[in-house]
Amino acid sequence: MRWMCVEIESPTVERSSPTLGFRVLSSWFERLVGLLGTGPSARPVVLMRCGSIHTYGMAYPIDVALVGSRGEVLASERALTPGRVLSHPAAFCAFERPASPCPWPLVGETLRVTSLSFESECAARPCPELPEPVWEVAGS
């Protein structure tokens, strides 16, 4: 299993963002399933070669960012409810996670990959400044 760690770069942010960790889904089947069948405590995922996502069959809202091939955030939705579709013709990949109050990339920002590994060290980091579990704090 591969993991990708990214940082958000933004001209409006003076300090560096926390590193966000994502499980990399690259096969057709992995991308088709995405977060389906998981719960609000699921680990975030990145769907490679994906320009459109859907939330049909989801049991909870998710945060989604569609990103271009140079890391530019083209579309971003927080708490996208079940039964919706989000797409962008220039998107190269889709970042997804259960809806959370933690930092999330906005349109116009850039994601910079800081590491790609077979270890989940970046995925195990909790959201800064929030107690665990996040979904109880957010009221999900």
Side-chain angles (χ1 to χ4, degrees):
M1 193 174 307
R2 291 184 303 167
W3 293 89
M4 178 185 295
C5 295
V6 299
E7 288 182 352
I8 302 169
E9 293 181 350
S10 172
T12 61
V13 177
E14 292 180 12
R15 62 178 180 80
S16 63
S17 75
T19 301
L20 306 173
F22 297 87
R23 187 167 61 104
V24 178
L25 306 180
S26 54
S27 75
W28 178 85
F29 184 73
E30 287 176 327
R31 293 189 328 254
L32 176 68
V33 173
L35 291 174
L36 284 172
T38 65
S41 62
R43 290 187 172 175
V45 297
V46 57
L47 290 72
M48 302 306 295
R49 298 176 317 278
C50 178
S52 180
I53 65 96
H54 69 84
T55 59
Y56 296 111
M58 293 296 299
Y60 58 91
I62 62 173
D63 296 336
V64 181
L66 299 179
V67 178
S69 60
R70 295 178 182 234
E72 67 279 15
V73 179
L74 304 169
S76 181
E77 289 284 336
R78 303 286 303 253
L80 189 65
T81 56
R84 303 273 316 277
V85 173
L86 182 67
S87 64
H88 193 285
F92 177 73
C93 59
F95 290 81
E96 299 180 347
R97 72 170 180 200
S100 167
C102 295
W104 192 247
L106 302 172
V107 173
E109 294 179 330
T110 302
L111 296 182
R112 181 172 54 90
V113 175
T114 59
S115 71
L116 183 62
S117 70
F118 289 97
E119 303 295 325
S120 61
E121 74 279 350
C122 62
R125 294 184 197 141
C127 178
E129 298 138 27
L130 291 174
E132 287 291 332
V134 170
W135 62 91
E136 287 181 12
V137 173
S140 300

